[in-house]
Amino acid sequence: MPKNPEAVYYSDYLKLDQLLDAQEPHSKRYGAEAHDEMLFIIVHQVYELWFKQVLHELRAIHQDFSKPLLDDKALYLVAHRLRRVLTIQDLMNDQVAVIETMTPQEFLEFRDYLVPASGFQSIQFKELEIRLGLTRHTRIAFDQQSFYNRLNDADRSYLENLEEQPTLFDRVDAWLARMPFLEFEDFKFWDMYQRAVNAALDHDEAIIRANAADDQQLQTELEGIQANRDNFSALFDQQRYQQLQEKGVVRLSQRAMLSALFITQYREEPAFHLAWQVITSLAEVDEKLTIWRYKHAMMVQRMLGTKIGTGGSSGHDYLRRTTEQNRVFKDFFAMSTYLLPKSALPELPGRVRKALGFSLEIGKSTG
Ligand code: HEM
């Protein structure tokens, strides 16, 4: 006996009538249909479908991070869904090659019929950016204007409302900041780490002093060490860290940054495995999105040269600049500044290792 009393038909289930009837080249309205407009429409539609799936995953992940407690089971699901997002992103990045089979001349056959529609009006893409954590304050404006000017009222208010909500970045920051092992009984990660950093830098300085070929080289290398000392000390100093935040050098809170560092440095401890996977995946989401932006920008340069976009931006130039500026989880990359080699890392105290390990001992199974 099937579970569904009503038989399902493939094309009904997938609503193929609607889906396959949704490609309407505009060039046809004004004369002969431009052959490549079909490709242009289908490629955009396929992207919008993938955006829909990515948002479906990100909304679920976002919801999980919004709960007061994220246990290992939930964290596993977050890591699993993030891997799915990353796989889709790979596909989206490869797909740029499909639109690139259209030549600039073929594009010109129908481009003028599309004005003033623009990728700026991809509300799903903008939701993706906002949901991840791109804010008005951090995103690049185009020619001092906002893409919001290009939206209808309903779309604008949908995105404006979304901007009022905590983003995935905010939730991840809060999750990291409340990580329980940062302080454990009388153990404080930052005290231990600061001592290890100082020892490593003292060691480097001694090597430089012993091996410098001349005074000038010594001076240059000592300045390098001092710059490293300054960098590290900002990490442990609340006021200096805040200054870095104000200058936009870092965005994560100080506690979240220290937790991310703790997890990354000691990722082989069982309690950190999943958290480390999540941090790495979020960095990869950011990286793959940046790669998409870059590929799209290159493709646009090939299609338009220096022409402005239909949405009124400077086209390639604007898009190229978004690859640098419109980043969300950049701190997970900047964090490498503060990493120490494994050999310079102190052993964690026994009681902390025990707390970070699986506590179920052989013979004490809960059976
Ligand atoms: C011939 C192909 C394409 C050209 C010439 C093109 C051109 C442009 C230009 C010039 C912009 C900047 C905004 C503007 O001034 O209009 C833009 C933005 C955008 N395009 Fe495309 N595009 C193409 C294909 C695609 C495809 C296949 C997608 C897939 C969804 C896409 C998605 C977007 C998005 C999401 C933006 C907003 C990016 C942002 O604000 O950072 N574009 N595009």
Side-chain angles (χ1 to χ4, degrees):
M1 180 70 179
K3 273 192 180 171
N4 52 330
E6 271 179 60
V8 177
Y9 195 67
Y10 179 85
S11 53
D12 293 341
Y13 178 65
L14 296 174
K15 298 203 186 300
L16 291 188
D17 279 356
Q18 278 161 272
L19 192 66
L20 300 179
D21 200 28
Q23 295 73 34
E24 197 196 313
H26 272 214
S27 49
K28 216 163 55 180
R29 296 183 183 182
Y30 307 99
E33 178 181 332
H35 176 85
D36 285 49
E37 196 178 350
M38 182 63 84
L39 177 81
F40 185 81
I41 294 172
I42 289 184
V43 170
H44 277 86
Q45 287 178 337
V46 170
Y47 268 107
E48 289 293 336
L49 283 175
W50 284 128
F51 291 158
K52 183 168 183 172
Q53 184 63 38
V54 167
L55 283 173
H56 184 61
E57 305 300 343
L58 285 182
R59 286 187 194 120
I61 292 168
H62 200 161
Q63 214 168 25
D64 276 338
F65 270 110
S66 309
K67 294 177 187 153
L69 186 79
L70 194 63
D71 62 17
D72 271 6
K73 236 166 136 180
L75 203 56
Y76 169 80
L77 211 53
V78 166
H80 173 67
R81 287 173 173 159
L82 279 173
R83 288 244 61 88
R84 179 177 293 159
V85 168
L86 292 170
T87 308
I88 296 173
Q89 284 187 285
D90 282 338
L91 202 65
M92 291 201 291
N93 289 349
D94 286 347
Q95 234 165 254
V96 174
V98 180
I99 193 87
E100 279 183 328
T101 61
M102 176 173 74
T103 66
Q105 221 177 6
E106 284 162 344
F107 180 45
L108 287 177
E109 290 294 335
F110 61 91
R111 179 184 190 238
D112 288 351
Y113 302 133
L114 311 181
V115 177
S118 155
F120 277 148
Q121 295 160 348
S122 170
I123 301 309
Q124 293 202 100
F125 184 80
K126 292 295 159 195
E127 172 166 351
L128 180 71
E129 292 184 325
I130 294 170
R131 193 167 283 284
L132 285 174
L134 203 62
T135 61
R136 274 186 203 222
H137 170 66
T138 47
R139 80 161 67 241
I140 168 175
F142 78 93
D143 310 330
Q144 266 63 56
Q145 293 185 61
S146 153
F147 71 91
Y148 277 94
N149 303 340
R150 299 291 183 266
L151 303 186
N152 65 30
D153 291 347
D155 285 347
R156 192 181 316 111
S157 68
Y158 177 73
L159 294 182
E160 280 173 348
N161 180 43
L162 204 66
E163 280 186 327
E164 304 289 313
Q165 319 296 325
T167 66
L168 188 59
F169 178 92
D170 299 329
R171 297 300 193 194
V172 169
D173 187 292
W175 165 68
L176 283 170
R178 64 174 190 261
M179 209 260 286
F181 301 107
L182 207 51
E183 287 168 89
F184 184 77
E185 297 170 359
D186 60 344
F187 167 80
K188 285 193 175 58
F189 168 69
W190 55 89
D191 282 349
M192 182 195 77
Y193 202 65
Q194 198 166 12
R195 280 196 300 276
V197 167
N198 287 338
L201 290 174
D202 288 349
H203 176 73
D204 289 354
E205 188 172 328
I207 291 178
I208 287 170
R209 286 189 185 281
N211 294 299
D214 53 53
D215 274 0
Q216 201 185 349
Q217 189 195 354
L218 178 66
Q219 204 48 41
T220 314
E221 291 186 0
L222 286 179
E223 276 166 20
I225 288 277
Q226 190 53 46
N228 274 345
R229 285 190 196 280
D230 290 347
N231 250 330
F232 270 110
S233 65
L235 182 64
F236 305 111
D237 181 313
Q238 212 175 0
Q239 227 176 353
R240 292 202 45 214
Y241 190 88
Q242 204 179 334
Q243 284 165 0
L244 291 185
Q245 278 183 308
E246 280 158 11
K247 279 196 233 153
V249 179
V250 285
R251 188 169 163 197
L252 278 177
S253 65
Q254 188 188 18
R255 254 188 102 85
M257 180 66 102
L258 286 167
S259 288
L261 203 55
F262 192 13
I263 291 166
T264 304
Q265 290 279 23
Y266 292 92
R267 62 179 173 271
E268 66 279 7
E269 300 296 338
F272 285 166
H273 288 178
L274 278 171
W276 182 69
Q277 271 182 43
V278 167
I279 290 174
T280 316
S281 294
L282 288 169
E284 268 186 70
V285 167
D286 194 282
E287 184 171 335
K288 287 183 196 292
L289 187 56
T290 303
I291 291 171
W292 183 83
R293 288 185 195 280
Y294 188 74
K295 284 187 146 198
H296 173 260
M298 291 298 285
M299 182 265 291
V300 168
Q301 188 178 33
R302 206 160 129 173
M303 293 289 173
L304 300 181
T306 55
K307 288 189 195 111
I308 60 164
T310 43
S313 79
S314 54
H316 167 72
D317 188 53
Y318 159 77
L319 294 166
R320 186 185 46 75
R321 283 184 290 127
T322 64
T323 63
E324 279 295 316
Q325 179 77 23
N326 289 1
R327 305 273 308 272
V328 176
F329 292 102
K330 219 173 171 176
D331 289 335
F332 292 146
F333 296 80
M335 192 172 70
S336 300
T337 319
Y338 306 117
L339 289 181
L340 287 179
K342 267 266 154 286
S343 55
L345 275 183
E347 275 276 316
L348 291 174
R351 63 190 187 290
V352 178
R353 288 210 63 204
K354 197 159 174 231
L356 287 172
F358 290 114
S359 52
L360 204 65
E361 288 170 27
I362 298 168
K364 285 194 182 169
S365 145
T366 50

